[in-house]
Amino acid sequence: MNELDALVDSARASFEQAATPADLENAKAQFLGKSGRLTELMKGMAALSVDEKKTRGAAINLAKQAIEAALNARRQALADAELQAQLKAEALDVTLPGRQRGQGGLHPVSLTLERIEQIFGSMGFDVAQGPEIETDWFNFTALNTPEDHPARSMHDTFYVEGGSASAPNLLRTHTSPMQIRHAVQHVKRHRDRLDAGQGMPEIRVIAPGRTYRVDSDATHSPMFHQCEGLWIGENVSFKDLKVVFTDFCRTFFESDDLVLRFRPSFFPFTEPSAEIDIQFQTGPLAGRWLEVAGSGQVHPHVVRNMGLDPEHFIGFAFGMGPDRLTMLRYGVNDLRLFFDGDIRFLSQFQ
Ligand code: DAH
């Protein structure tokens, strides 16, 4: 084997051994670089005769081409290998199950609130919303709740900064303040008509929302929901309350034979007052009286605080617990489940 063939073989072998592109460039320098072995051979040609230069030059050129071909082949092989490794590392297993994006849904209490709004909406009630931080006036005083009423005890709710020392602001203990807030707005809007003795459109509103009390067990949570109802006009009676609320309960529970009982009770803002109990005729709760709301004819003091003359305007109010309605509707026996945020529980309602 002549010297050039040996050189080409040796270049091929050393390119073959190069495991990375960097190794390969080093190997290339040994043969084709400025002081590489092939370059050295070419320099040696200076001393040859013209004829010798021709044959020797042609042979060296062939060797050079062979070395370059080997180099390019190895470059390509290394690039292919690198690509293969990368593809393997980033391999996508299309047979794996897809990552599911859980479908969100409404909280069971929200479902109840939507249902309440829809049912009362169909009976011509507006929906009003108000602040959860209330003043002493709206939460108590305007609702005919005297200053020594036990509901005002510091232990019964959460007081917050603001207001005055004798009348601090607080987290509302019920949605009843919305009776006043909404009625005052309504009266303001119709002030001119009222002043001209032309009356006003009836107030018919529900006000759902969060309420707060220092209470915590299986059926009480420090934060809970209420929905207030108010219907004020010139000729609204207790009979209307009975009709509206009976209709509501039967629609809400999808039970036409549901029975209601209005049990005499006391609330400072209504007179007379009644607790509303319902009784299912079928199902697991059949035969038991279940309390669902407080209600009554709006007290004249409260009507006056709405900016209306109690000699001309009369009506009823009620306050119910959407959390409890949700428990009854779905057969849930621990209120705390609603607020634990456990997705396994909540997803059952989707
Ligand atoms: N606010 C009362 C409570 O939280 C419930 C209530 C009773 C609301 C009678 C009313 C009503 O509107 O007329 O216990």
Side-chain angles (χ1 to χ4, degrees), residues 173-176 179 213 226 228-229 267 269-270 294-296 317-319:
T173 59
H174 51 182
T175 44
S176 301
Q179 290 186 32
R213 280 182 213 177
Q226 277 199 346
E228 199 73 11
F267 297 102
F269 32 90
T270 44
S295 67
F318 57 83

Side-chain angles (χ1 to χ4, degrees), residues 122-162:
S122 76
M123 293 192 265
F125 282 72
D126 294 327
V127 179
Q129 285 194 335
E132 290 168 33
I133 295 178
E134 256 309 357
T135 63
D136 180 86
W137 165 258
F138 285 111
N139 199 79
F140 295 124
T141 315
L143 290 166
N144 197 37
T145 305
E147 249 166 47
D148 53 359
H149 194 282
R152 290 186 167 222
S153 149
M154 288 294 269
H155 305 291
D156 276 348
T157 187
F158 302 92
Y159 286 80
V160 296
E161 282 176 9

Side-chain angles (χ1 to χ4, degrees), residues 100-115:
Q100 299 221 345
R101 182 177 296 200
Q103 206 183 5
L106 287 181
H107 188 279
V109 173
S110 298
L111 291 173
T112 294
L113 291 172
E114 276 201 344
R115 212 170 152 71

